[in-house]
Amino acid sequence: IGGESSIGETGAPAPSVGMTQTRRLGMNVRLGAEAASGVYVENDGGSGGAGTGFFVSGDGHVVTNAHDVKDAQTIVIMTSNGDLHKAELVQKDSTRDLAVLKVDGTGFAAARLGSSADVEVGDEVLAIGNALGLGDTPTVTTGIVSALDRSLQLMAGRLTKLIQTDAAINPGNSGGPLLN
């Protein structure tokens, strides 16, 4: 099944069968999960609960959702190796539901950011998160981009320019990366 041809019973070359789409995606799932493993965000005040984030720089900057850190008194993140770090809120934008946190340290594995302008409906994606706030290992789900430029009306305001995916997103996954 590696793509090599062979001679069939009739003497004619047998059709070449390459790696299936599912298998190629399976390889990318492992690589994506390793390249941009999420961090678990715990908020002990305000909204409480847990969410997900990901490093965007090796010097400790983490992106998550603003609602994951809303009114937080203390923010703690846990990296994929189990280390706990106190995080400080650098900036948040509730109109985009984004927040940037900073932890002390260097050498963190950072995700390589792309441009949402390059995303197309039908693109394969991975969603990495902290489903249900379990926190001991990341969850990884796969899907496709279902639609672009979606809007969502929330009590706090309207979110626009959203990417819709059919990858499973559970409570606790918010703030995690959507990777292609």
Side-chain angles (χ1 to χ4, degrees), residues 57-152:
S57 69
D59 66 351
H61 285 91
V62 173
V63 169
T64 189
N65 283 130
H67 74 262
D68 288 334
V69 295
K70 183 178 180 181
D71 300 325
Q73 302 299 313
T74 303
I75 303 168
V76 175
I77 67 160
M78 182 173 60
T79 58
S80 58
N81 66 0
D83 290 344
L84 297 174
H85 300 270
K86 184 175 179 185
E88 297 295 325
L89 178 64
V90 174
Q91 189 168 10
K92 72 177 178 176
D93 181 351
S94 297
T95 65
R96 293 281 178 230
D97 197 20
L98 290 174
V100 177
L101 310 176
K102 174 72 169 83
V103 299
D104 288 334
T106 59
F108 297 105
R112 186 171 55 103
L113 299 181
S115 171
S116 59
D118 296 334
V119 176
E120 295 181 13
V121 171
D123 284 353
E124 296 173 323
V125 292
L126 309 174
I128 298 178
N130 180 15
L132 309 176
L134 298 174
D136 56 348
T137 59
T139 57
V140 180
T141 58
T142 62
I144 62 165
V145 171
S146 305
L148 298 170
D149 203 24
R150 291 289 198 210
S151 297
L152 183 63

